[in-house]
Amino acid sequence: MLTSPPSVLRGALTPRVESRPDNIVGSFGDLAADLMEAAGKPLEPWQKDSVDLMLSTRPDGKWACYEYAEWVARQNGKGGLGEARALVGFFVLGEELIIWSAHEYKTAMEAFRKMRKLIRALGTPISDTLVEVDGVMVKISNTNGEEGFERLDTEQRIKFVARSKGSGRGFSGDLNVIDEAFAYTPEQAEALGPTLIARPNAQIVYLSSPPLTGDTGEVMYELKERAEKGGDDSLGYRDWGLPGDLEDIHVKIDIDDPQNWAYSNPALGLGRVTLETIRRLRKMLSANKGRGFAREVLGLWPRRITGGGAIDVVWWNTKLHDPESRRDGDVAIAIDIAPQRDYAAIALYGIRADGLGHTQLLDYRPGTNWLVDRIREWNEALNPVAIAVGRAVGASLGVDLEKVGITKTEDPEYPKRGDLVVTTATEMTAATGQILDAVKQASFRHIGQDELDASVAGAKTKQTGDSLMWARKEADADTSPLVAVSLARWAYESRAHLVDKEQEVEPWAVFG
């Protein structure tokens, strides 16, 4: 992934990951590039390489890439790849039906308008709905839901649709362009994929930036796994994203390094993408620890979550989600550290004015060297009824917490605010069971935080005697956020009624 010297920083010339079939003998890529240049939208070097691979052929004349996937950061020009592919299929290759689909109607219509501009630029507009391109009459359909293009000589068509479980059924397409594939679901694949079966030389093209969350984008994750595993000689695949995943930012990946920006943005320095615009985006997308910037600009994928089934993710994200949720009065806080000690979480639990519980993450960061100071700060800000930890965390942090005045409860029947509660194994199973019951009963709300949502989606339990505990090794995500929430709830329920109510903290002090 070589780039120009820093003084004239340009995007990478090749993607970090590229999978190419071994049986390539030719390509129609030059013809596609010629069409785009004639239409006034010449392809950039990286786009020419992409289209060349996409349109490569094998010895029998069929596509070498039955499937082709290109994952690249936003605004780099991945739409141009689909446009080049559709134009050459429409004007040169004789493909009878090309279906361009997007996750939303407005996105599909934006692609339609861009293609209309290209086709008009290639020929001479006769009217608003008719263009002559080298003697070929092309009809433009602007009817709502029927947007597309048709050659009047051969009746070849390009259709633009918004994806759904049913869209595409009944059509037999030569080419499917799956725009914004991050939102392409297995159900939609079942609707669109079979349209290729009856065609003698069909192809499906996926274009996207990374999935939004680790529990979505199933089709993209499957393609990624197939490409990285190798051995699939019908798949063309290019991924410009940095190595690692979103959980690695600030630990293994410097998202503020311009060289990393260049590696993941091939259009950088070619006019459309500049260092200035990326710097602006970095400031704009600074929330959530820069995860949005890392995903959209650096091409980092969320760590995949397959879901352990311990908690119903749909229920969690709908019934229990309330972005306006706020506790009213006392809180308990809890701390947990991931087994590899690469991340740690602090959570709180309290009661809302309507009597429902409220929980949220207060902190979730890499490493552990920040924990003690932050616990002290939250203790001073919130005056919690208790600070709960598991035995392992208590053993590792106990001495340091004592140094800042946070000590174990001397008498559990008469606890003091801010006492450190180190749970036993029995109490930990109780905390697990109680939060599972509370989820099913919908007796609390959360504000919606990516780290906690991911922890919940990947949660699994294991049997310990007659009880359940969170299964750390088997989980598909870091368990520390969910364990911290479980302990915070348990600490509140077991300690709030015992502390001196005269020291109750003000409701507004939840954010320190």
Side-chain angles (χ1 to χ4, degrees):
M1 297 187 293
L2 298 177
T3 59
S4 303
S7 59
V8 286
L9 194 63
R10 293 185 182 275
L13 300 177
T14 57
R16 179 180 60 86
V17 179
E18 182 177 74
S19 176
R20 304 173 62 91
D22 294 329
N23 54 353
I24 295 175
V25 296
S27 177
F28 289 95
D30 287 345
L31 292 176
D34 290 344
L35 278 171
M36 291 294 286
E37 185 166 4
K41 193 176 180 179
L43 297 178
E44 294 169 352
W46 74 273
Q47 291 175 310
K48 290 182 179 180
D49 291 342
S50 298
V51 171
D52 190 66
L53 175 57
M54 183 192 303
L55 287 163
S56 58
T57 57
R58 62 191 194 188
D60 62 2
K62 293 187 176 183
W63 301 124
C65 305
Y66 179 75
E67 294 177 281
Y68 181 86
E70 185 102 18
W71 315 140
V72 66
R74 298 274 294 277
Q75 301 304 312
N76 272 259
K78 62 181 178 296
L81 307 180
E83 292 160 2
R85 176 63 184 85
L87 284 178
V88 78
F90 190 61
F91 285 113
V92 178
L93 302 177
E95 292 176 325
E96 292 184 13
L97 177 60
I98 297 168
I99 300 175
W100 184 303
S101 71
H103 64 312
E104 295 179 347
Y105 176 76
K106 62 182 180 181
T107 306
M109 291 308 97
E110 184 63 23
F112 164 73
R113 285 188 284 270
K114 290 180 178 179
M115 185 67 74
R116 181 175 60 190
K117 183 176 181 180
L118 291 173
I119 290 177
R120 284 176 172 169
L122 281 172
T124 303
I126 305 301
S127 67
D128 288 344
T129 60
L130 195 64
V131 178
E132 181 181 357
V133 181
D134 290 337
V136 174
M137 291 297 180
V138 178
K139 178 183 176 182
I140 304 173
S141 297
N142 295 301
T143 305
N144 188 29
E146 297 295 331
E147 289 85 358
F149 307 92
E150 180 180 1
R151 287 182 54 155
L152 298 185
D153 59 339
T154 61
E155 297 186 349
Q156 293 171 240
R157 291 177 296 155
I158 306 176
K159 287 184 62 68
F160 292 82
V161 300
R163 289 191 293 271
S164 69
K165 291 183 180 180
S167 62
R169 291 187 184 273
F171 298 111
S172 183
D174 295 285
L175 170 67
N176 274 342
V177 177
I178 308 299
D179 194 12
E180 306 294 9
F182 71 85
Y184 188 51
T185 68
E187 293 79 11
Q188 292 165 357
E190 292 168 5
L192 283 170
T195 64
L196 305 176
I197 292 177
R199 305 307 302 163
N201 190 22
Q203 186 177 51
I204 185 166
V205 173
Y206 309 90
L207 305 171
S208 192
S209 51
L212 299 182
T213 61
D215 57 347
T216 60
E218 297 98 322
V219 175
M220 285 188 68
Y221 277 107
E222 293 299 330
L223 285 164
K224 184 174 186 285
E225 290 179 7
R226 285 166 52 194
E228 292 178 351
K229 181 180 179 181
D232 188 342
D233 59 3
S234 66
L235 174 63
Y237 183 94
R238 283 159 62 95
D239 183 357
W240 295 86
L242 295 180
D245 53 45
L246 285 176
E247 281 62 41
D248 293 327
I249 63 175
H250 308 304
V251 179
K252 301 177 182 178
I253 299 171
D254 183 0
I255 67 174
D256 294 309
D257 182 357
Q259 194 66 51
N260 283 334
W261 302 352
Y263 288 150
S264 52
N265 287 268
L268 177 62
L270 300 180
R272 181 172 43 251
V273 179
T274 67
L275 284 175
E276 181 181 10
T277 57
I278 294 180
R279 288 192 181 102
R280 289 175 178 173
L281 274 174
R282 179 65 184 97
K283 294 177 181 178
M284 185 185 306
L285 302 179
S286 60
N288 199 16
K289 301 181 178 66
R291 287 171 63 91
F293 177 83
R295 182 184 62 242
E296 303 294 350
V297 180
L298 303 183
L300 281 163
W301 291 49
R303 189 170 296 166
R304 190 177 189 184
I305 299 170
T306 57
I311 294 178
D312 185 331
V313 175
V314 175
W315 181 261
W316 173 268
N317 289 329
T318 54
K319 184 66 175 179
L320 303 185
H321 179 216
D322 178 4
E324 302 301 322
S325 183
R326 294 291 183 271
R327 59 93 188 178
D328 182 38
D330 278 335
V331 299
I333 66 175
I335 302 95
D336 192 58
I337 300 174
Q340 300 301 319
R341 303 186 71 81
D342 52 349
Y343 272 87
I346 304 175
L348 70 72
Y349 186 91
I351 300 297
R352 308 189 332 169
D354 60 4
L356 291 173
H358 166 83
T359 193
Q360 70 184 83
L361 283 182
L362 295 175
D363 271 300
Y364 179 71
R365 306 185 195 179
T368 60
N369 60 345
W370 59 275
L371 259 179
V372 172
D373 286 341
R374 199 64 175 132
I375 295 167
R376 176 184 54 78
E377 292 172 1
W378 283 118
N379 183 37
E380 294 172 356
L382 299 178
N383 195 21
V385 298
I387 300 174
V389 296
R391 287 187 300 176
V393 175
S396 64
L397 297 183
V399 174
D400 290 330
L401 288 174
E402 284 185 11
K403 292 178 181 178
V404 296
I406 299 173
T407 58
K408 295 180 183 178
T409 299
E410 295 179 1
D411 186 346
E413 293 186 8
Y414 299 97
K416 295 181 294 184
R417 288 182 176 274
D419 278 352
L420 182 67
V421 181
V422 181
T423 59
T424 64
T426 300
E427 289 168 337
M428 182 65 83
T429 60
T432 304
Q434 288 170 10
I435 197 73
L436 287 170
D437 289 343
V439 167
K440 293 176 183 178
Q441 296 161 7
S443 61
F444 72 95
R445 298 293 184 267
H446 65 91
I447 61 175
Q449 296 166 286
D450 288 347
E451 297 91 345
L452 179 56
D453 293 345
S455 188
V456 166
K460 295 184 179 181
T461 57
K462 62 181 180 181
Q463 196 79 24
T464 302
D466 296 330
S467 304
L468 293 174
M469 289 185 67
W470 296 122
R472 293 179 177 271
K473 293 182 180 180
E474 295 82 359
D476 294 319
D478 181 10
T479 57
S480 63
L482 180 56
V483 171
V485 163
S486 304
L487 287 174
R489 186 185 186 281
W490 172 87
Y492 182 88
E493 296 293 344
S494 63
R495 295 291 189 273
H497 62 291
L498 299 176
V499 299
D500 182 4
K501 294 296 182 179
E502 293 181 358
Q503 301 180 49
E504 186 171 330
V505 69
E506 293 296 328
W508 49 262
V510 66
F511 299 106

